[in-house]
Amino acid sequence: MSDESSVAGAQRLLFSSVWDAIENTQMEAESMKLRSALMMVLTNRVKQSEITQVQAAQLFGVTQRRIADLLRGRIQLFKLDSLVNMVLASESTAPPPTSPTHP
């Protein structure tokens, strides 16, 4: 039997996300989507701010090793609540926006 005939008989599945395709349940897929999105937000903050991993660790309230894991995309090491806490810590320690002074 050739590879072509086995592929032709296979059913094609379409998924809206890679997480939908690889996770066992919809709940697990949704959790991974959220974790992925939060990790991208945090990674972008570090890269756009041009801060060191040590500075990012202080900003997010974690260790430098956690920042290294974040920047390497090691999603399996992060729980949703810890990522939310990192986002909240970074927002609460960010300098407040300056408002124009009125004469």
Side-chain angles (χ1 to χ4, degrees):
M1 179 177 247
S2 72
D3 288 338
E4 289 180 25
S5 62
S6 63
V7 171
Q11 188 175 24
R12 187 172 205 191
L13 300 175
L14 298 175
F15 297 96
S16 61
S17 163
V18 67
W19 300 117
D20 293 325
I22 64 175
E23 292 301 326
N24 293 325
T25 67
Q26 187 62 36
M27 187 182 307
E28 291 171 352
E30 292 302 321
S31 175
M32 293 302 285
K33 289 177 197 177
L34 290 170
R35 288 163 55 191
S36 176
L38 290 171
M39 287 183 73
M40 286 189 285
V41 166
L42 291 165
T43 298
N44 287 338
R45 284 191 184 165
V46 172
K47 290 180 178 180
Q48 290 174 352
S49 300
E50 297 181 354
I51 57 177
T52 66
Q53 288 186 10
V54 171
Q55 291 169 321
Q58 292 169 346
L59 179 66
F60 297 160
V62 297
T63 64
Q64 180 273 328
R65 183 177 183 120
R66 292 292 280 168
I67 298 299
D69 290 336
L70 172 78
L71 297 176
R72 289 186 182 110
R74 296 187 174 166
I75 194 168
Q76 73 278 9
L77 300 179
F78 291 89
K79 292 185 178 180
L80 188 55
D81 61 335
S82 66
L83 292 167
V84 169
N85 290 338
M86 290 169 68
V87 169
L88 294 175
S90 71
E91 290 175 353
S92 67
T93 57
T98 57
S99 59
T101 56
H102 298 285

